[in-house]
Amino acid sequence: MRLGDILGGAFSTLGRYWKQLFGMGAVVFGGALAIMVVTVVIAYSAVSGHLHTVFSLSADEDPPASDVIPLVVALGIVCLLAVIVFSVATAMMYATVPTVLQEAVLGRPTTFSAVCRRAWSRVPTVIGTVILTYLIALIPMVLMVAGFFALMIGSITLAHDTGTVLWVVLGFVGAFATAPLAIWLCVKFCLAPSAAVFEGQSAVASLRRSAQLVRGDWWRIFGTGLLALILASVASYIVQIPFSFLGMFSGIIGGTTLDEDPNPTAIVFAMSGYMVIMALGQLVSQFITAVFPPLVTGLLYVDRRMRTENLGPALAEAAGVPAQPGPQYGF
């Protein structure tokens, strides 16, 4: 398949199986969003007194540790739960897309319940492949953040000693030095979720399988995947524009209801419309970025197997078309 075939196949699959894909995205990310809303409400109710105390302080007063520590703990728990919930949601979509794509390649219809059952059975393995791949990309990000924080702390405290400068240099140089390796490994393992679903491989075996399929075609897979990510990001940005305008007007209207000295509860209530609208926009844009790039990656997986393993006859046989003589491989 050429680049146009892969992108066209992704759009065609999205158009034909939009009910299954959009339905799963709505359930998965909508459920994740609902969990986070409940979590934020519980966290706010637990620390609202401390939050009100901190808000009521003047600019010259420092908040006491007894009020700051519960706020930091609550924020940390909310952030940790958000990472876990949305990681599971992303893994579910990463398992859903190859499940739908397998039926699309064979030209067979499927149902939402069938997609849900099969995708959910592969979620643990897909989570393993995603986590292992993210850990690879995490190294340059951690070094970059360490260098940035060292730079900010040095600027604020006016500390330009050897230790601070060394942390800044090591952070940024280390990030730029390890970034190419991280990108290379991420592309090398990008077909692992598809291998986990299509072939029922374990997490480690899926990573090995991806490395085997990518071998000899790294640049093509990198360029195609990058183009898919750019297209999805542009579409996501365009989708968020109307939600941003609606949210801005909602925030302005809500701000007019505030008193001169509002409490945190009044601020949250006044901005609730803005937060809901922006959350909906983020939900729709997240669906785009979670579906289109994996569709392209899944088609790249099929393409690599067609090129290296003569998958065509197996596909024809699975689709009910008489296969031509030649090596057969499972699908």
Side-chain angles (χ1 to χ4, degrees), residues 139-166:
I139 297 175
M141 292 176 60
V142 170
L143 292 172
M144 179 67 76
V145 170
F148 177 76
F149 272 104
L151 180 63
M152 293 300 296
I153 292 173
S155 301
I156 294 172
T157 60
L158 300 179
H160 301 291
D161 53 6
T162 305
T164 303
V165 174
L166 182 62

Side-chain angles (χ1 to χ4, degrees), residues 11-203:
F11 283 114
S12 176
T13 303
L14 190 59
R16 183 177 179 183
Y17 297 89
W18 67 271
K19 292 181 181 179
Q20 292 83 356
L21 293 171
F22 184 78
M24 187 63 70
V27 170
V28 169
F29 290 114
L33 184 61
I35 292 174
M36 292 313 304
V37 168
V38 173
T39 303
V40 171
V41 170
I42 294 174
Y44 175 74
S45 63
V47 299
S48 58
H50 302 287
L51 187 63
H52 180 73
T53 301
V54 172
F55 268 80
S56 62
L57 297 175
S58 63
D60 299 330
E61 295 179 294
D62 294 327
S66 58
D67 289 319
V68 174
I69 292 176
L71 294 177
V72 173
V73 171
L75 180 62
I77 293 174
V78 170
C79 292
L80 178 61
L81 185 62
V83 171
I84 295 173
V85 168
F86 282 99
S87 295
V88 174
T90 302
M92 185 63 180
M93 291 307 300
Y94 274 32
T96 298
V97 171
T99 300
V100 173
L101 187 62
Q102 186 170 16
E103 304 303 322
V105 170
L106 297 176
R108 299 188 304 210
T110 186
T111 61
F112 177 83
S113 59
V115 171
C116 185
R117 285 194 302 270
R118 186 170 180 219
W120 181 252
S121 67
R122 302 307 303 164
V123 163
T125 302
V126 174
I127 288 179
T129 63
V130 171
I131 290 177
L132 291 175
T133 305
Y134 280 0
L135 288 176
I136 296 170
L138 195 64
I139 297 175
M141 292 176 60
V142 170
L143 292 172
M144 179 67 76
V145 170
F148 177 76
F149 272 104
L151 180 63
M152 293 300 296
I153 292 173
S155 301
I156 294 172
T157 60
L158 300 179
H160 301 291
D161 53 6
T162 305
T164 303
V165 174
L166 182 62
W167 274 107
V168 173
V169 173
L170 287 178
F172 286 105
V173 172
F176 285 114
T178 56
L181 177 62
I183 294 173
W184 179 74
L185 290 173
C186 286
V187 174
K188 193 176 184 66
F189 298 137
C190 70
L191 304 184
S194 297
V197 176
F198 277 86
E199 304 178 37
Q201 301 270 15
S202 65

Side-chain angles (χ1 to χ4, degrees), residues 14 21-22 25 29 93 97 286-296:
L14 190 59
L21 293 171
F22 184 78
F29 290 114
M93 291 307 300
V97 171
Q286 184 70 25
F287 166 75
I288 296 173
T289 56
V291 170
F292 187 74
L295 274 175
V296 172

